[in-house]
Amino acid sequence: MNEKAKTKKVSKKTIALIGLALLLVISATMATLAWLTAHDVKENIFTVGDFNEPDPDNPTDPTDPTDPTDPDNPEIDPTNPSNPPGNLDPDKLTGHIYEKNWVEGSKLLPDNDIAKDPQIGMGPGSEDSYVYVYVKNNLDDNNKEDIYFTLNTEKWEEVNGCVQKVTGMDNTYYGGIFRYRGDSNANDGILAGHEKINVWTPTVFDKVHVSGTATAATLKPAAGTGGSKVTVECFLHQVKDGKGNVIDAGEILAAAKTAFQVQ
């Protein structure tokens, strides 16, 4: 065999060996890469924003505690009209609505006042809120003005076009939607939440009055609506969206009307 043929044969063998070595290296690398993986899991636990119902055993005044040296356990300020003094009576608390002086089964008598003093509250840890209430009675349409109330206009205002006023009487209504003006003098409409204690609006009104011209017949409920009653509903809505922007008032009112089933 001549030198040229030997050289060619050796070269082919060398190339084959180099190719095999490269394949082994690539295979080993690929095998190694197949095992170079990572997998991580991290769970983030979130708290959910909400409007918690007031706690009957929790102090209620976050703004003016009578014991400023103990901010984690402030006592009640019984002189503050916007907060029910003392612990709440659970029998007079329905969700977010509290009526301290209401007596179940109070009688409707002509020219008579009946204690009914709704306040709207939120429990500890609640978000800031806009607050609306809807008041109605279930008397026959022709007699609805026989039970009426005077709005606490210092802290509540009517929603234009959504109220039923008593003829010839200022700030006096027998039904409608009303908006809380807010905690501050700015009338921003906000009931501010508090981490540790209940917060309350002032009363929407303090009593209902039965007209002096009412009779047993006019005070009867409309057919199919049960016993004679005055109903108070409340609606709370968050103040800002997820980006921190204040939510449009028209959008909130529309949501309130939907909740109250009012056109």
Side-chain angles (χ1 to χ4, degrees):
M1 182 180 297
N2 57 39
E3 289 299 322
K4 188 174 182 180
K6 284 183 178 181
T7 301
K8 188 174 182 180
K9 186 174 181 180
V10 170
S11 297
K12 286 182 177 180
K13 186 176 181 180
T14 302
I15 291 170
L17 290 172
I18 291 171
L20 179 60
L22 287 173
L23 284 173
L24 290 173
V25 169
I26 292 170
S27 297
T29 303
M30 289 180 68
T32 302
L33 289 175
W35 292 101
L36 288 177
T37 61
H39 178 215
D40 298 298
V41 176
K42 181 178 181 180
E43 291 184 344
N44 295 97
I45 306 300
F46 293 86
T47 57
V48 180
D50 204 351
F51 303 122
N52 302 315
E53 294 183 357
D55 177 1
D57 297 321
N58 194 289
T60 63
D61 185 4
T63 58
D64 187 21
T66 55
D67 184 7
T69 63
D70 188 11
D72 290 337
N73 295 286
E75 297 178 0
I76 306 302
D77 177 8
T79 65
N80 189 330
S82 69
N83 295 283
N87 288 340
L88 307 181
D89 181 347
D91 292 334
K92 297 182 178 182
L93 179 66
T94 302
H96 296 276
I97 303 172
Y98 187 67
E99 294 181 326
K100 177 189 172 188
N101 293 308
W102 162 251
V103 177
E104 191 69 29
S106 296
K107 291 184 178 181
L108 296 174
L109 298 172
D111 199 21
N112 186 42
D113 290 332
I114 300 171
K116 185 173 175 66
D117 47 355
Q119 293 180 255
I120 312 305
M122 303 188 301
S126 295
E127 304 298 313
D128 292 352
S129 173
Y130 291 125
V131 183
Y132 289 78
V133 297
Y134 176 46
V135 186
K136 60 183 178 180
N137 71 54
N138 69 333
L139 300 187
D140 185 81
D141 286 347
N142 294 324
N143 304 318
K144 285 188 178 295
E145 289 192 33
D146 277 353
I147 303 177
Y148 55 85
F149 58 90
T150 300
L151 186 70
N152 175 6
T153 55
E154 183 179 351
K155 284 299 184 180
W156 292 88
E157 63 187 8
E158 66 175 61
V159 173
N160 291 333
C162 298
V163 295
Q164 295 83 49
K165 294 184 176 181
V166 176
T167 305
M169 301 180 70
D170 294 336
N171 304 320
T172 303
Y173 308 82
Y174 60 89
I177 299 177
F178 305 90
R179 173 183 174 270
Y180 179 49
R181 288 181 178 273
D183 302 330
S184 70
N185 293 328
N187 290 336
D188 57 10
I190 297 173
L191 176 61
H194 193 280
E195 279 300 311
K196 297 182 180 296
I197 51 183
N198 301 330
V199 293
W200 296 93
T201 69
T203 54
V204 185
F205 49 87
D206 295 319
K207 60 188 177 184
V208 294
H209 183 77
V210 182
S211 170
T213 61
T215 66
T218 65
L219 293 174
K220 288 183 178 179
T225 63
S228 301
K229 55 193 172 187
V230 176
T231 302
V232 177
E233 301 180 31
C234 73
F235 177 76
L236 292 81
H237 195 291
Q238 69 188 80
V239 174
K240 296 181 179 180
D241 63 20
K243 296 181 180 179
N245 300 315
V246 175
I247 300 172
D248 179 72
E251 182 178 346
I252 295 173
L253 177 57
K257 288 182 175 180
T258 298
F260 297 146
Q261 299 182 1
V262 173
Q263 297 298 322

